[in-house]
Every structure is written in structure tokens, then in C-alpha cells.
Amino acid sequence: MKIALLGYGKMGKVIEKIALERGHEIVLRKDENSSFEGLQSADVAIDFSVPKVATQNISECLNQNIPIVSGTTGWLDDYSKMVTLCEEKNGAFLYGSNFSLGVNLFFEVNDYLSKIMSKFNQYAISMEEIHHTQKLDKPSGTAISLANQIVNNSNYTNWSIKNPIENEIYIEVKRIDSVPGTHSIFYKSPVDTIEIKHTAHNRDGFAFGALLASEWLVGKKGVFTMRDVLGFD
């Protein structure tokens, strides 16, 4: 498989390493200052860039009929526009706030637990997410996905990273050197606490999941998520 890497930072380099180990070829390594030359020869593109260029990267791929997998977070105000463009171009687009297989299993646990806990109002819900100091968006896309699952399954109406009002889930955001990603969800009552937690040990899990999604996406048309890749839908 010929892969275009859109974003060649730490994640891009880990994806490249694992892709080569799996027998794939890298035909484009694009950073913010380089061109899309070589994109047309790719079977699929993987975008781990920065929020300000993510929509440009995705749009370029869809306009050139290149399947695109995006793991960049912090740009989702434009997500519906990318979905519309994908449908107009009859393309293939897969976005994931987190491609780790463990995190996607964690999403399923969170969805199930939040449905159960919605019947027990004595438990107040809060969250914590910890990432490395280079991460630009706050909270993480993964934390937003987790919070939105809970909102959909409960009486909570929103989430906040500062001074939440009633019926908002508070997400405490921490930035600590060299932390790949840790997400915790707390259900606290006056008598006990239930906690679920996912801790990433390195970036390899994210990279492997993104490659798995890319291999799955080639030859398909439509808008997908990791739930489709893993057969949860």
C-alpha cells in the first residue's frame, strides 16, 4: 500500500516506522511548509497534522479522490463540511479522535457504563485527561468523545474545562512532559467512587490503529469511524 503522510511530526514518524515494518511504502511526507506533490500516487493518506491545516489536508485528498484517515483533533467545527465534501465527491473519509485499539474498547466500556449509571443520580461525574506539553488542543479529542458519550446517555447537558455549571461534566486538563495520553472518568457519591481509566504507554498503539484503519478504508466509499473498522456497528 502506498501511503501519504500528512503531518510528519512525532506521530508521523511512528506511523512511518510501523508502516514500513508492515511492508507499506511512503510516497509523501508532508509538513506545514511542503506541497502535496506525490499525493496522487497514494492509495491512502493519513493525517496527523495540526488543527489549522487539517481541513486543507482532508479537502485536498477528497478532491483528488484519495481515501483519507485523519487523527488530528481541534478542528471539528469543520467536520460537517468535510462530511459533505466526502459525499459530494463520493470519497472515503475516516476520522478518529483516537486510533488506539485500547481506547476504542474504552469508548465501548464508557458508553455501557454511562447508560447504567444514568439511573443513579447520587453519583456525580467528572473526568481528567493528561497529555504531553506539546499537545495543542484542550481538552483532548478523546476526552471530548468520552464526555459526549456520557452526555448522550445521561442528564448532563454539556462539559466544561473550567467552573462547570450544574449539569456540566468537569474535565480537568493536565499537561505533563512525555505523557502520551491518560484519560480517567470518575463517578463519585458520598460513600464511594467508581473509576475507569485508560493509560497509553507510548504512541505505537495510536500509529498501529491508524494503519489498521487505513488498510481497511482502501476500496471503500463513505464516511466511517473506528467502530466500523473494529466491527462494533
Side-chain angles (χ1 to χ4, degrees):
M1 192 168 69
K2 295 181 178 180
I3 299 172
L5 294 177
L6 308 182
Y8 196 55
K10 291 180 179 178
M11 268 301 300
K13 291 179 173 65
V14 176
I15 291 171
E16 177 183 42
K17 173 180 174 292
I18 297 176
L20 294 175
E21 290 173 351
R22 291 172 69 82
H24 301 307
E25 177 185 355
I26 308 300
V27 296
L28 172 61
R29 300 167 180 84
K30 186 184 184 308
D31 59 26
E32 290 183 61
N33 302 313
S34 58
S35 73
F36 286 99
E37 184 177 355
L39 177 62
Q40 192 57 51
S41 65
D43 298 310
V44 66
I46 302 176
D47 169 61
F48 273 88
S49 55
V50 294
K52 65 181 180 180
V53 299
T55 54
Q56 179 188 8
N57 289 343
I58 297 165
S59 298
E60 186 70 24
C61 290
L62 293 173
N63 284 322
Q64 293 200 37
N65 197 31
I66 304 297
I68 171 71
V69 169
S70 178
T72 305
T73 58
W75 62 273
L76 289 185
D77 287 346
D78 292 323
Y79 177 77
S80 61
K81 295 178 184 177
M82 297 300 98
V83 169
T84 298
L85 180 61
C86 180
E87 292 169 347
E88 289 174 352
K89 298 295 182 178
N90 192 30
F93 171 43
L94 192 154
Y95 167 75
S97 60
N98 195 310
F99 283 94
S100 160
L101 300 186
V103 165
N104 281 278
L105 294 171
F106 190 63
F107 284 147
E108 297 301 304
V109 172
N110 179 58
D111 187 52
Y112 182 70
L113 180 61
S114 60
K115 288 175 181 174
I116 294 173
M117 297 302 293
S118 66
K119 301 175 183 178
F120 302 97
N121 293 329
Q122 65 267 42
Y123 287 90
I125 305 174
S126 61
M127 296 174 55
E128 177 188 81
E129 66 103 334
I130 310 171
H131 279 87
H132 50 86
T133 52
Q134 290 77 37
K135 187 165 181 60
L136 299 178
D137 52 321
K138 296 181 181 181
S140 68
T142 302
I144 292 172
S145 295
L146 291 164
N148 285 339
Q149 282 184 313
I150 297 169
V151 168
N152 290 337
N153 294 333
S154 69
N155 292 324
Y156 284 85
T157 57
N158 209 340
W159 53 265
S160 176
I161 60 173
K162 42 180 140 171
N163 299 324
I165 62 174
E166 187 177 0
N167 290 331
E168 286 188 340
I169 301 167
Y170 174 56
I171 305 175
E172 184 176 5
V173 176
K174 296 180 180 179
R175 293 292 175 260
I176 300 173
D177 287 342
S178 303
V179 176
T182 301
H183 295 85
S184 302
I185 302 168
F186 308 96
Y187 291 83
K188 295 181 180 179
S189 81
V191 297
D192 59 8
T193 298
I194 299 170
E195 175 185 353
I196 58 173
K197 180 177 182 179
H198 179 273
T199 302
H201 301 308
N202 53 53
R203 291 183 172 86
D204 288 13
F206 310 129
F208 175 76
L211 281 166
L212 192 70
S214 302
E215 293 166 353
W216 181 90
L217 187 63
V218 171
K220 294 181 174 63
K221 300 292 183 182
V223 178
F224 304 100
T225 69
M226 278 298 284
R227 297 194 85 244
D228 299 299
V229 178
L230 298 176
F232 292 147
D233 283 331

